[in-house]
Amino acid sequence: MSINFPLLLVIAVAVCGFLALLDLVVFAPRRRAAIANYQGQTGEPDQSTLDALNKEPVLIEYGKSFFPVLAIVLVLRSFLIEPFQIPSGSMIPTLEVGDFILVNKFAYGIRLPVVDTKIIEVSDPQRGDVMVFRYPSDPNINYIKRVIGLPGDVVRYSSDKRLSINGELVPEMLIGEEPGSLGSAKLYQEKLGEVDHLIRKEMARYRIEPNREWRVPAGHYFMMGDNRDNSNDSRYWHDAAIPAEFAGMVPDRNIVGKAFAVWMSWPDPKFSNLPHFSRVGLIH
């Protein structure tokens, strides 16, 4: 079952905020009135009695305690930075399974939590950005890929595994065989826009028919993983509920944010392996 954490967080903040407000408006004045009445009836007020009269209801106490913490988490997570963990190898060698990353939530505009309506324009995704977004066929699932095609672009992937944008080959340079692959996989340095990054290709694997071409509609983006032959991305998404011209495209409303840093890695916690920080750094 998929849990809508942003919705739960908003509800928790609203409930705790309501309890805090209820105490401020209703219960706190009652407590002060009870204390004043008690002090007026006795010459030497008993401290334990005063403490009992001033005691907050348990529910109010918890609500007031959690409200500022949850409110700060909501603001940070919704408008500034949100952490994610990489669950698959689709972005190898840039990101590995178990990497914990930070995502800039305001890079592409300020959006309201839950409804995800953009209220402040900041900037648009750029070719080469590593972006987190909600999977078009199931918005409850977050994906991370690299921005390949911008609105209006024509993207082509050829039979020799070369990427072209608007009729021009994307520059790439062979780095060498992937260590441990025995020649079955090679690493290349690719340049998308102003971004230089590594990609991985498997020499004996080709998942899609050759020479496919896509035109990116307005307000949409074409996404691919850096692990080019092991990535479920825009090249493969087909959904009968989505019109053919938008198949494989990520609409602007599904954007979550720009991934910018790895802060920890923990590849296999179920086997009690310890997290490590050897991969900490900025994402390119």
PDB file of all heavy atoms in Angstrom, residues 182-195:
ATOM      1  N   LEU A 182      34.155  -7.385 -17.474  1.00  0.00           N
ATOM      2  CA  LEU A 182      34.790  -8.264 -18.459  1.00  0.00           C
ATOM      3  C   LEU A 182      34.472  -7.825 -19.890  1.00  0.00           C
ATOM      4  O   LEU A 182      34.272  -8.639 -20.789  1.00  0.00           O
ATOM      5  CB  LEU A 182      34.342  -9.721 -18.238  1.00  0.00           C
ATOM      6  CG  LEU A 182      34.675 -10.321 -16.866  1.00  0.00           C
ATOM      7  CD1 LEU A 182      34.152 -11.738 -16.759  1.00  0.00           C
ATOM      8  CD2 LEU A 182      36.187 -10.296 -16.639  1.00  0.00           C
ATOM      9  N   GLY A 183      34.365  -6.536 -20.081  1.00  0.00           N
ATOM     10  CA  GLY A 183      34.147  -5.985 -21.411  1.00  0.00           C
ATOM     11  C   GLY A 183      32.695  -5.915 -21.841  1.00  0.00           C
ATOM     12  O   GLY A 183      32.404  -5.422 -22.935  1.00  0.00           O
ATOM     13  N   SER A 184      31.772  -6.375 -21.019  1.00  0.00           N
ATOM     14  CA  SER A 184      30.358  -6.371 -21.413  1.00  0.00           C
ATOM     15  C   SER A 184      29.717  -5.001 -21.256  1.00  0.00           C
ATOM     16  O   SER A 184      28.654  -4.737 -21.819  1.00  0.00           O
ATOM     17  CB  SER A 184      29.574  -7.393 -20.584  1.00  0.00           C
ATOM     18  OG  SER A 184      29.575  -7.031 -19.202  1.00  0.00           O
ATOM     19  N   ALA A 185      30.342  -4.092 -20.499  1.00  0.00           N
ATOM     20  CA  ALA A 185      29.805  -2.748 -20.304  1.00  0.00           C
ATOM     21  C   ALA A 185      30.933  -1.733 -20.410  1.00  0.00           C
ATOM     22  O   ALA A 185      32.071  -2.010 -20.010  1.00  0.00           O
ATOM     23  CB  ALA A 185      29.111  -2.638 -18.947  1.00  0.00           C
ATOM     24  N   LYS A 186      30.608  -0.563 -20.970  1.00  0.00           N
ATOM     25  CA  LYS A 186      31.592   0.496 -21.118  1.00  0.00           C
ATOM     26  C   LYS A 186      31.043   1.797 -20.554  1.00  0.00           C
ATOM     27  O   LYS A 186      29.833   2.036 -20.559  1.00  0.00           O
ATOM     28  CB  LYS A 186      31.966   0.674 -22.595  1.00  0.00           C
ATOM     29  CG  LYS A 186      32.699  -0.522 -23.180  1.00  0.00           C
ATOM     30  CD  LYS A 186      33.112  -0.280 -24.622  1.00  0.00           C
ATOM     31  CE  LYS A 186      33.872  -1.481 -25.185  1.00  0.00           C
ATOM     32  NZ  LYS A 186      34.283  -1.272 -26.591  1.00  0.00           N
ATOM     33  N   LEU A 187      31.967   2.624 -20.084  1.00  0.00           N
ATOM     34  CA  LEU A 187      31.620   3.927 -19.543  1.00  0.00           C
ATOM     35  C   LEU A 187      32.005   5.017 -20.532  1.00  0.00           C
ATOM     36  O   LEU A 187      33.083   4.961 -21.133  1.00  0.00           O
ATOM     37  CB  LEU A 187      32.313   4.164 -18.199  1.00  0.00           C
ATOM     38  CG  LEU A 187      32.014   3.170 -17.083  1.00  0.00           C
ATOM     39  CD1 LEU A 187      32.820   3.517 -15.837  1.00  0.00           C
ATOM     40  CD2 LEU A 187      30.528   3.144 -16.760  1.00  0.00           C
ATOM     41  N   TYR A 188      31.112   5.999 -20.686  1.00  0.00           N
ATOM     42  CA  TYR A 188      31.354   7.118 -21.580  1.00  0.00           C
ATOM     43  C   TYR A 188      31.140   8.425 -20.817  1.00  0.00           C
ATOM     44  O   TYR A 188      30.342   8.477 -19.867  1.00  0.00           O
ATOM     45  CB  TYR A 188      30.381   7.103 -22.763  1.00  0.00           C
ATOM     46  CG  TYR A 188      30.560   5.953 -23.721  1.00  0.00           C
ATOM     47  CD1 TYR A 188      30.061   4.691 -23.418  1.00  0.00           C
ATOM     48  CD2 TYR A 188      31.219   6.132 -24.931  1.00  0.00           C
ATOM     49  CE1 TYR A 188      30.218   3.630 -24.301  1.00  0.00           C
ATOM     50  CE2 TYR A 188      31.381   5.077 -25.831  1.00  0.00           C
ATOM     51  CZ  TYR A 188      30.875   3.821 -25.503  1.00  0.00           C
ATOM     52  OH  TYR A 188      31.027   2.776 -26.382  1.00  0.00           O
ATOM     53  N   GLN A 189      31.843   9.449 -21.222  1.00  0.00           N
ATOM     54  CA  GLN A 189      31.567  10.791 -20.717  1.00  0.00           C
ATOM     55  C   GLN A 189      30.708  11.508 -21.745  1.00  0.00           C
ATOM     56  O   GLN A 189      31.081  11.656 -22.900  1.00  0.00           O
ATOM     57  CB  GLN A 189      32.847  11.570 -20.469  1.00  0.00           C
ATOM     58  CG  GLN A 189      32.590  12.979 -19.913  1.00  0.00           C
ATOM     59  CD  GLN A 189      33.850  13.652 -19.449  1.00  0.00           C
ATOM     60  OE1 GLN A 189      34.530  13.185 -18.552  1.00  0.00           O
ATOM     61  NE2 GLN A 189      34.181  14.773 -20.078  1.00  0.00           N
ATOM     62  N   GLU A 190      29.545  11.934 -21.301  1.00  0.00           N
ATOM     63  CA  GLU A 190      28.569  12.579 -22.177  1.00  0.00           C
ATOM     64  C   GLU A 190      28.413  14.037 -21.763  1.00  0.00           C
ATOM     65  O   GLU A 190      28.518  14.372 -20.586  1.00  0.00           O
ATOM     66  CB  GLU A 190      27.227  11.847 -22.070  1.00  0.00           C
ATOM     67  CG  GLU A 190      26.133  12.379 -22.966  1.00  0.00           C
ATOM     68  CD  GLU A 190      24.850  11.579 -22.799  1.00  0.00           C
ATOM     69  OE1 GLU A 190      24.158  11.794 -21.764  1.00  0.00           O
ATOM     70  OE2 GLU A 190      24.537  10.742 -23.663  1.00  0.00           O
ATOM     71  N   LYS A 191      28.151  14.898 -22.746  1.00  0.00           N
ATOM     72  CA  LYS A 191      27.948  16.315 -22.457  1.00  0.00           C
ATOM     73  C   LYS A 191      26.548  16.714 -22.906  1.00  0.00           C
ATOM     74  O   LYS A 191      26.237  16.707 -24.104  1.00  0.00           O
ATOM     75  CB  LYS A 191      28.993  17.174 -23.160  1.00  0.00           C
ATOM     76  CG  LYS A 191      28.914  18.657 -22.802  1.00  0.00           C
ATOM     77  CD  LYS A 191      30.032  19.446 -23.447  1.00  0.00           C
ATOM     78  CE  LYS A 191      29.968  20.928 -23.091  1.00  0.00           C
ATOM     79  NZ  LYS A 191      30.149  21.173 -21.645  1.00  0.00           N
ATOM     80  N   LEU A 192      25.715  17.040 -21.939  1.00  0.00           N
ATOM     81  CA  LEU A 192      24.353  17.509 -22.195  1.00  0.00           C
ATOM     82  C   LEU A 192      24.259  18.957 -21.741  1.00  0.00           C
ATOM     83  O   LEU A 192      24.340  19.241 -20.542  1.00  0.00           O
ATOM     84  CB  LEU A 192      23.326  16.664 -21.439  1.00  0.00           C
ATOM     85  CG  LEU A 192      22.886  15.351 -22.086  1.00  0.00           C
ATOM     86  CD1 LEU A 192      22.064  14.547 -21.091  1.00  0.00           C
ATOM     87  CD2 LEU A 192      22.088  15.604 -23.352  1.00  0.00           C
ATOM     88  N   GLY A 193      24.117  19.884 -22.675  1.00  0.00           N
ATOM     89  CA  GLY A 193      24.112  21.292 -22.292  1.00  0.00           C
ATOM     90  C   GLY A 193      25.451  21.659 -21.687  1.00  0.00           C
ATOM     91  O   GLY A 193      26.503  21.481 -22.305  1.00  0.00           O
ATOM     92  N   GLU A 194      25.419  22.145 -20.457  1.00  0.00           N
ATOM     93  CA  GLU A 194      26.650  22.514 -19.759  1.00  0.00           C
ATOM     94  C   GLU A 194      27.121  21.428 -18.811  1.00  0.00           C
ATOM     95  O   GLU A 194      28.087  21.632 -18.061  1.00  0.00           O
ATOM     96  CB  GLU A 194      26.424  23.816 -18.966  1.00  0.00           C
ATOM     97  CG  GLU A 194      26.002  25.005 -19.819  1.00  0.00           C
ATOM     98  CD  GLU A 194      27.050  25.349 -20.866  1.00  0.00           C
ATOM     99  OE1 GLU A 194      28.257  25.307 -20.528  1.00  0.00           O
ATOM    100  OE2 GLU A 194      26.664  25.642 -22.009  1.00  0.00           O
ATOM    101  N   VAL A 195      26.459  20.273 -18.838  1.00  0.00           N
ATOM    102  CA  VAL A 195      26.734  19.224 -17.853  1.00  0.00           C
ATOM    103  C   VAL A 195      27.538  18.086 -18.474  1.00  0.00           C
ATOM    104  O   VAL A 195      27.132  17.477 -19.472  1.00  0.00           O
ATOM    105  CB  VAL A 195      25.418  18.655 -17.277  1.00  0.00           C
ATOM    106  CG1 VAL A 195      25.720  17.567 -16.252  1.00  0.00           C
ATOM    107  CG2 VAL A 195      24.591  19.771 -16.652  1.00  0.00           C
TER     108      VAL A 195
END
